[in-house]
């Protein structure tokens, strides 16, 4: 589990393709001392498992499914990614619950500087904005942000100068693709209300009959 508070922007040391999958190596620097094989690391919003570590460098196996559903397939040696190590139970919870299970990708439509902030507008499939709410949380390339504008197929966030300086969003502009993870709690509530679950615990949604059964 992660919080969406980026700890460091690191460089991709190497990308090796193995059939439909890949091995990505990241230069974690001092963060490498805190991880070992089997640990989880958030890279541009994608939860990856450390498979090997040598010095300040860590390697990750990336499946074909992950390459297809995220922007990690676009990475090359020298690319830069946002990194966050998995949170400890004793850590301060400063962002929001981020699982690293990306819901899809979006494309930056505009990046407009304003007084004290920069307004970032991102286009996504309508299925993603359908899971968002105004003032709710969203993870963009692993960065915990608050939704400041929302319509079908697009949303906006406000970026403070620190976020621009401390993450890759400072270098990305219109046309760049980003990984999107919608708020985890919101997705559970949406599934319960709409009854879109599967299996023996499918709720059937909120109906008048269901409310009567529950005493309302």
């Amino acid at each position: 589990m992660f919080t969406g508070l980026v700890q460091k922007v690191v460089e991709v040391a190497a990308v090796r393709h193995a059939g439909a999958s890949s091995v990505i190596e990241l230069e974690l620097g001092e963060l490498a001392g805190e991880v070992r094989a089997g640990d989880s690391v958030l890279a541009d919003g994608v939860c990856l498992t450390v498979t090997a570590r040598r010095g300040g460098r860590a390697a990750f196996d990336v499946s074909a499914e992950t390459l297809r559903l995220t922007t990690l397939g676009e990475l090359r040696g020298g690319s830069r990614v946002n990194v966050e190590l998995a949170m400890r139970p004793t850590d301060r919870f400063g962002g929001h619950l981020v699982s690293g299970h990306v819901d899809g990708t979006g494309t930056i439509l505009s990046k407009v500087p304003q007084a004290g902030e920069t307004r970032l507008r991102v286009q996504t499939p309508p299925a993603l904005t359908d899971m968002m709410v105004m003032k709710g949380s969203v993870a963009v390339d692993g960065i915990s942000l608050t939704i400041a504008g929302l319509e079908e197929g697009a949303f906006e966030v406000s970026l403070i100068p620190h976020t621009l300086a401390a993450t890759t969003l400072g270098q990305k502009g219109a046309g760049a693709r980003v990984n999107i993870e919608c708020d985890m709690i919101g997705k559970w509530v949406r599934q319960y209300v709409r009854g879109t679950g599967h299996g023996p615990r499918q709720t059937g949604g909120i109906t008048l009959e269901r409310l009567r059964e529950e005493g309302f």
Side-chain angles (χ1 to χ4, degrees):
M1 192 63 66
F2 308 90
T3 67
L5 300 184
V6 173
Q7 291 176 266
K8 188 176 182 180
V9 175
V10 307
E11 189 171 285
V12 176
V15 177
R16 301 191 302 275
H17 300 292
S21 61
S22 294
V23 175
I24 294 176
E25 295 188 8
L26 299 180
E27 292 284 4
L28 295 182
E30 71 280 2
L31 293 181
E34 300 185 46
V35 301
R36 59 184 180 181
D39 285 350
S40 296
V41 173
L42 197 69
D44 268 1
V46 184
C47 181
L48 300 176
T49 301
V50 178
T51 55
R53 197 201 78 186
R54 185 176 68 254
R57 184 180 295 188
F60 306 84
D61 291 339
V62 185
S63 69
E65 178 80 353
T66 298
L67 294 174
R68 182 177 67 84
L69 294 176
T70 74
T71 64
L72 295 193
E74 301 172 7
L75 296 180
R76 302 291 183 269
S79 297
R80 294 171 66 77
V81 297
N82 301 312
V83 163
E84 179 189 351
L85 305 187
M87 67 182 297
R88 302 180 181 90
T90 55
D91 285 343
R92 288 183 176 176
F93 192 13
H96 74 279
L97 288 173
V98 176
S99 68
H101 302 158
V102 171
D103 291 304
T105 61
T107 302
I108 296 176
L109 293 175
S110 61
K111 185 179 176 184
V112 182
Q114 298 180 0
E117 65 176 11
T118 294
R119 196 81 164 191
L120 189 76
R121 182 175 176 81
V122 181
Q123 181 181 46
T124 72
L128 295 191
T129 52
D130 190 42
M131 293 188 285
M132 300 178 189
V133 294
M134 275 293 295
K135 305 302 179 182
S137 297
V138 64
V140 178
D141 274 353
I143 307 161
S144 176
L145 298 169
T146 300
I147 296 168
L150 182 63
E151 62 186 70
E152 184 178 14
F155 68 93
E156 293 185 5
V157 293
S158 293
L159 306 177
I160 61 174
H162 174 78
T163 302
L164 292 172
T167 74
T168 58
L169 288 185
Q171 304 301 317
K172 292 189 175 182
R177 287 207 312 148
V178 290
N179 295 314
I180 305 294
E181 182 185 331
C182 302
D183 180 59
M184 185 187 304
I185 296 174
K187 287 188 287 187
W188 279 104
V189 171
R190 176 179 177 270
Q191 176 171 302
Y192 183 84
V193 170
R194 295 191 176 183
T196 55
H198 300 284
R201 295 187 64 82
Q202 183 172 354
T203 66
I206 300 297
T207 64
L208 198 56
E209 290 76 14
R210 181 67 181 275
L211 290 174
R212 289 196 184 104
E213 289 176 3
E214 299 294 337
F216 291 97

